[in-house]
Amino acid sequence: MGMTSSVDTVAELAGVSVSTVSRALRNVPGISEETRKRVQRIARELGYVPSIAGSRLATGKTRTVAIVTPSLSKWFFGQVLAAAGSVMREAGYDVLLYELADEATRGRFFDGPALPGRADGVLILALQPTPAELEALTEQGLPLAVLGSEQPGVPCVRVEDRDAGRSAVRHLLNLGHERIAFIGIEQAAGNTLGGVPPAQRLLGYRDALSEAALDHRPEYEVFEENTTAGGSSAMARLLCAEIPPTAVFVASDEMAFGVLGTLRGAGISVPGDMSVVGFDNHELSGLLDLTTMDHSVTRQGAEAARLLVSALQASETSETTLMVPATLVVRGSTAPPRPLRTRTYSPTKTHNHLTETA
Amino acid sequence: MGMTSSVDTVAELAGVSVSTVSRALRNVPGISEETRKRVQRIARELGYVPSIAGSRLATGKTRTVAIVTPSLSKWFFGQVLAAAGSVMREAGYDVLLYELADEATRGRFFDGPALPGRADGVLILALQPTPAELEALTEQGLPLAVLGSEQPGVPCVRVEDRDAGRSAVRHLLNLGHERIAFIGIEQAAGNTLGGVPPAQRLLGYRDALSEAALDHRPEYEVFEENTTAGGSSAMARLLCAEIPPTAVFVASDEMAFGVLGTLRGAGISVPGDMSVVGFDNHELSGLLDLTTMDHSVTRQGAEAARLLVSALQASETSETTLMVPATLVVRGSTAPPRPLRTRTYSPTKTHNHLTETA
DNA sequence: CTGAAAGCGCTTACAG
DNA sequence: CTGAAAGCGCTTACAG
């Protein structure tokens, strides 16, 4: 139980030099099999464990990566983190976790000398790093990989968000909808969430509408924060439109859950009176019977981690951008619009469960 | 941009010894204010950043803690991790994340010499560490804190799960229910989730029933894995009982969501025909109108982190066990049972939305 | 208040 | 294949 034994102890007991001990224990070539075995046996008997601090100082390598995320409490990031972490662990890297939830901690992270000596590389999730932020990291000699946006000169994995948005809306068009709204993610002030993917989804929505030669109605585009509450109030706003939509494409499943809540509360049946398409394929979407766009969240995390591992091993920077496709998952929240005559919401139809109890 | 500058460079430029540089930069006493200022200014101009590896080797401290969790993809752990991570960051510690999802990686973690040199302490979330596992860590000189169970000699934070279970069931009893079932979490083979808290909740359920002098019916206790699917099938089993319950207490909200799904599918109205109480106060519980037990998940994470910080600073091991109370959050999934005459499920009542479309 | 020196525990050319 | 020695970049008694 020699908690305090060092290479020297092992060397002495084995009757060899510390160089030999070092070589034996790291399985490097240039040492006889016999010596290696003997040293390894003695080290084991001694309960010797090489000091990480020592080898880090000598090699300059930490065998650790930093994963930077804007949030831990959202489903998406838990999935991504689990997948990425698993890949990193297999590759022999520890993971250091940085949640940069607000601008203050974000600034401290990128300005400060946070990482050299702690991590060999950085995986940035969904943060939309600025060029200056990326440069601050590369200047420190840290290989990077980015998930959720495309950055010049940096390995990225991202989703075909624009195509995905178009696909989602086409599904609604193909069902016969003509009044289709979009509920998007608003970049909240002081929040590090949000960014490019939501914006791309909006563009895809517009693409599909214009390809179908449908009018672009500004009042059909509403934006709220990416929560169920945000989705709820976004849907409520749409219900106040002069001509309400018959379908809505929602940029995230969590918001879509809120949308479903509002509709249920208003007594508007889904998909009878309103079709809803979400985005994420959240673990609870199946239960809520939500039609949604799946974008292989787990795969995104794993691929991003693999890009980082390659970057750590390669000498020069690669510039791969890996595109992950999104696919429609059809469930019960989408259907053709009702024939025109029943599509108006008359007062007698607008009831909810509170009035039912009367 | 002297990426490669070391104490020596700074010492030379400042015309002092490296000892003085070291003292100036770490704000230790025993140095004149004037010298300190000058050295700090020169270091800043040089863009000098102390090498972490060097100081770790010299001090033996890493200013890093390991957080060990059985899962990242569950809502609960995301919340706990966010709260704990934030406390650790404030206290000046980095966090190293270990997801020990299966027995194999769990074994590797506790057997292997994973942590010394990487972390100064360990926060164990919900894993129900064995005495041997805890000893393996303390033997390495690592202060610990544990969340979700009580371990002799280790600082812990845990929930009054048994009381909480009793409270939940009492709520149902007080509404007039007499046929109350329990849906519990089954410890899946090869899975590191589960453990003591679910077992305590079961005991609380039994407490409440026996205090109310109600029969204990073994067929009213069913166990499944802690997922919506598990909840769904557990509820389905209960629906096959000779005399189905009128209320069910579910050991987790995620399972309760599945329960609600099964009931909706079977056309059994909640809370009219069946009352449901969950456990967690999951972020989606409000949306689904689920009555549930809140156990201050965020607070649990923060308190556990605080215990670890104290353990890291204190010389001797404290043995605090911090009990977090759970409180009932009443929503729309609980109500008095229907009068006896309407409580039987006749064929005409048992419809679902599929038949509605006919 | 300041500095010279030893030490933390490894790794790695270099020489043999 | 093996070893003596320098070096990685700090910190910290110890002496002054």
Side-chain angles (χ1 to χ4, degrees):
Chain A
M1 302 290 99
M3 276 314 305
T4 47
S5 57
S6 69
V7 258
D8 305 85
T9 334
V10 183
E12 200 173 341
L13 277 255
V16 295
S17 72
V18 292
S19 334
T20 302
V21 174
S22 176
R23 285 191 276 254
L25 264 30
R26 282 174 309 126
N27 285 319
V28 294
I31 179 174
S32 78
E33 260 324 290
E34 190 202 326
T35 314
R36 183 192 304 285
K37 292 279 182 243
R38 188 160 47 86
V39 172
Q40 290 185 339
R41 179 172 49 74
I42 292 183
R44 201 179 323 114
E45 287 170 8
L46 225 52
Y48 166 71
V49 172
S51 148
I52 277 83
S55 76
R56 282 186 182 177
L57 183 55
T59 62
K61 291 297 167 201
T62 64
R63 298 251 83 193
T64 300
V65 300
I67 301 188
V68 181
T69 173
S71 164
L72 282 170
S73 46
K74 295 221 158 282
W75 174 81
F76 176 84
F77 294 101
Q79 300 298 114
V80 168
L81 208 55
S86 159
V87 168
M88 297 309 321
R89 184 170 37 236
E90 302 251 306
Y93 287 88
D94 276 343
V95 359
L96 219 35
L97 183 64
Y98 294 93
E99 186 188 20
L100 273 33
D102 51 66
E103 286 299 340
T105 53
R106 178 178 184 151
R108 241 174 282 133
F109 177 83
F110 285 105
D111 293 347
L115 294 182
R118 298 176 212 266
D120 298 338
V122 188
L123 179 54
I124 302 178
L125 305 181
L127 271 175
Q128 313 302 329
T130 64
E133 288 173 337
L134 290 177
E135 199 190 317
L137 297 179
T138 48
E139 210 174 49
Q140 297 173 119
L142 293 164
L144 309 176
V146 169
L147 181 148
S149 65
E150 198 164 342
Q151 308 284 346
V154 178
C156 302
V157 18
R158 71 174 192 81
V159 174
E160 291 279 19
D161 282 287
R162 185 164 183 167
D163 280 359
R166 181 156 48 188
S167 296
V169 176
R170 277 194 186 153
H171 167 53
L172 294 169
L173 288 166
N174 291 340
L175 285 171
H177 290 276
E178 296 184 342
R179 305 203 311 260
I180 303 171
F182 176 78
I183 292 179
I185 297 170
E186 179 178 68
Q187 172 88 46
N191 193 322
T192 55
L193 271 173
V196 170
Q200 293 288 311
R201 291 169 200 169
L202 169 61
L203 293 181
Y205 159 81
R206 290 181 183 165
D207 287 346
L209 289 194
S210 70
E211 283 162 14
L214 285 177
D215 285 348
H216 171 252
R217 301 173 184 242
E219 74 272 23
Y220 274 12
E221 294 179 0
V222 301
F223 302 87
E224 287 284 346
E225 60 164 14
N226 186 12
T227 60
T228 56
S232 292
S233 58
M235 189 66 233
R237 280 161 62 190
L238 286 173
L239 293 180
C240 300
E242 194 178 344
I243 304 176
T246 61
V248 53
F249 168 45
V250 191
S252 90
D253 275 4
E254 280 184 62
M255 296 186 88
F257 298 158
V259 166
L260 295 177
T262 290
L263 293 172
R264 178 165 27 88
I268 296 170
S269 81
V270 174
D273 297 320
M274 186 76 67
S275 284
V276 180
V277 181
F279 203 111
D280 273 345
N281 202 13
H282 188 287
E283 64 177 332
L284 294 178
S285 301
L287 192 73
L288 294 173
D289 212 15
L290 177 69
T291 296
T292 189
M293 296 302 298
D294 178 284
H295 55 144
S296 318
V297 175
T298 294
R299 200 184 132 203
Q300 284 187 61
E303 296 289 10
R306 282 190 202 107
L307 287 184
L308 182 56
V309 171
S310 321
L312 286 163
Q313 289 163 354
S315 37
E316 83 280 17
T317 318
S318 85
E319 210 176 320
T320 333
T321 292
L322 202 78
M323 300 300 285
V324 173
T327 55
L328 182 72
V329 178
V330 177
R331 296 206 181 91
S333 67
T334 43
R338 294 222 173 142
L340 210 52
R341 66 186 186 289
T342 66
R343 218 190 287 164
T344 325
Y345 303 112
S346 67
T348 54
K349 269 196 62 192
T350 311
H351 62 93
N352 63 35
H353 61 283
L354 287 179
T355 63
E356 283 181 332
T357 64
Chain B
M1 303 296 102
M3 275 315 303
T4 46
S5 57
S6 71
V7 258
D8 304 85
T9 333
V10 182
E12 199 172 341
L13 277 254
V16 296
S17 72
V18 293
S19 334
T20 302
V21 173
S22 175
R23 284 190 277 254
L25 264 31
R26 280 174 310 126
N27 286 319
V28 294
I31 179 175
S32 77
E33 260 324 289
E34 189 204 327
T35 315
R36 185 192 303 285
K37 292 280 182 242
R38 188 160 46 86
V39 172
Q40 290 185 338
R41 179 172 49 74
I42 292 183
R44 202 177 325 112
E45 288 171 5
L46 225 51
Y48 167 70
V49 172
S51 148
I52 275 84
S55 76
R56 281 186 181 176
L57 182 56
T59 62
K61 292 298 168 201
T62 64
R63 299 250 80 192
T64 301
V65 301
I67 301 188
V68 182
T69 174
S71 163
L72 282 172
S73 46
K74 294 221 160 282
W75 174 80
F76 176 84
F77 294 101
Q79 299 298 116
V80 168
L81 207 55
S86 159
V87 168
M88 297 309 321
R89 185 173 35 238
E90 301 252 305
Y93 287 88
D94 277 342
V95 358
L96 220 33
L97 183 65
Y98 294 92
E99 186 187 21
L100 272 32
D102 52 66
E103 286 299 341
T105 54
R106 177 178 184 150
R108 241 174 282 133
F109 178 83
F110 286 105
D111 293 347
L115 293 182
R118 298 176 212 266
D120 300 338
V122 188
L123 178 54
I124 302 178
L125 304 181
L127 271 175
Q128 313 302 327
T130 65
E133 288 172 337
L134 290 177
E135 200 190 317
L137 296 180
T138 49
E139 210 175 48
Q140 298 172 120
L142 293 164
L144 309 177
V146 169
L147 182 148
S149 66
E150 198 163 344
Q151 309 285 346
V154 178
C156 301
V157 16
R158 71 175 192 81
V159 174
E160 291 279 18
D161 282 287
R162 186 166 183 163
D163 280 359
R166 181 156 48 189
S167 296
V169 176
R170 276 195 187 151
H171 168 53
L172 294 169
L173 288 166
N174 291 340
L175 285 172
H177 289 276
E178 296 185 342
R179 305 203 310 262
I180 303 171
F182 176 78
I183 292 179
I185 297 171
E186 178 179 66
Q187 173 89 46
N191 193 321
T192 54
L193 272 172
V196 170
Q200 293 288 312
R201 292 170 200 169
L202 169 62
L203 294 180
Y205 159 81
R206 289 181 183 164
D207 288 346
L209 289 194
S210 70
E211 284 162 13
L214 285 178
D215 285 348
H216 171 251
R217 302 172 183 241
E219 74 272 24
Y220 275 12
E221 295 177 0
V222 300
F223 302 87
E224 287 284 348
E225 61 163 16
N226 186 12
T227 59
T228 56
S232 291
S233 58
M235 189 67 234
R237 279 160 62 189
L238 286 173
L239 293 181
C240 300
E242 195 178 343
I243 305 177
T246 62
V248 53
F249 168 45
V250 191
S252 90
D253 275 3
E254 280 185 62
M255 295 186 88
F257 298 158
V259 166
L260 295 177
T262 291
L263 293 172
R264 177 163 28 88
I268 296 170
S269 81
V270 174
D273 297 320
M274 185 75 68
S275 284
V276 180
V277 182
F279 203 113
D280 272 345
N281 202 14
H282 188 287
E283 63 176 331
L284 294 178
S285 302
L287 192 73
L288 294 173
D289 212 15
L290 177 69
T291 296
T292 188
M293 297 301 297
D294 178 285
H295 54 144
S296 316
V297 175
T298 294
R299 198 182 135 205
Q300 284 187 62
E303 296 289 10
R306 282 189 202 107
L307 288 184
L308 181 55
V309 172
S310 322
L312 286 163
Q313 288 163 355
S315 37
E316 83 280 18
T317 319
S318 85
E319 211 175 320
T320 335
T321 293
L322 202 80
M323 301 299 286
V324 172
T327 55
L328 182 71
V329 178
V330 177
R331 296 206 181 92
S333 67
T334 44
R338 294 226 173 140
L340 210 53
R341 68 187 183 289
T342 68
R343 218 190 288 163
T344 325
Y345 304 113
S346 68
T348 56
K349 269 197 62 193
T350 310
H351 63 92
N352 63 35
H353 61 283
L354 286 180
T355 62
E356 282 180 333
T357 64

